[in-house]
Amino acid sequence: MSGRARFGTAEDIPLLGRWCDEFSDEALGVDERMPDGAEFARDAIDGGRGAPIWVDGMPVAMAMVTAPVAGMSRIGPVYTAKDHRGNGYGSAVTAAAAVWAAEQGARDVLLFADQGNPVANSIYQRIGFRPVLDAVEAVFAGPNTLGV
């Protein structure tokens, strides 16, 4: 694997924000996308999240990871620029995020992965993550949708 991890700073917010938007569009769709990517990235950096960026001549991938709370850190989002996929950068930047979390005191490092994405799931398992539980998201249309 070529390249190395460096950690994002305030100067990286435009790049991280663009990648957060692209991740959101791909993973969640335009209707359910996360808030403004640059705002999310700024809040992450200002809030003490780790934001490793994999650099191989140029920035090619990123992950964000929370500082430990109750011994746990969460990785996400993870994103590799479209033109740089298939080179192991997503694996490398995810591993860098997990190492950072452990160095910050996390006993457990977790992430959520879409079961419908076999590439991501195989990558995460190859670098040491293991499935622990399945989750289902239920979205209700509005108040009193259960007839209660």
Side-chain angles (χ1 to χ4, degrees):
M1 160 63 50
S2 59
R4 64 175 180 78
R6 71 168 176 79
F7 280 77
T9 66
E11 292 176 3
D12 295 302
I13 288 172
L15 172 66
L16 294 170
R18 185 175 73 247
W19 282 351
C20 285
D21 285 338
E22 291 173 12
F23 166 85
S24 181
D25 289 346
E26 287 182 33
L28 306 173
V30 176
D31 293 337
E32 295 183 34
R33 70 186 316 226
M34 54 195 257
D36 177 73
E39 184 177 320
F40 181 85
R42 184 176 299 102
D43 288 348
I45 298 288
D46 291 348
R49 279 183 138 195
I53 298 170
W54 198 262
V55 178
D56 188 5
M58 64 183 346
V60 294
M62 66 107 189
M64 291 192 180
V65 56
T66 62
V69 174
M72 293 181 286
S73 288
R74 181 183 182 276
I75 296 175
V78 175
Y79 183 76
T80 301
K82 288 181 184 180
D83 294 345
H84 299 284
R85 293 179 183 170
N87 296 302
Y89 300 134
S91 299
V93 78
T94 302
V99 167
W100 179 88
E103 289 172 348
Q104 302 306 304
R107 289 182 315 274
D108 298 300
V109 181
L110 52 113
L111 54 79
F112 289 95
D114 181 352
Q115 288 183 328
N117 186 337
V119 172
N121 285 292
S122 68
I123 286 169
Y124 297 143
Q125 289 180 37
R126 235 181 333 216
I127 61 176
F129 286 89
R130 60 183 173 79
V132 175
L133 63 92
D134 294 335
V136 174
E137 179 180 10
V139 179
F140 298 101
N144 205 17
T145 58
L146 297 176
V148 182

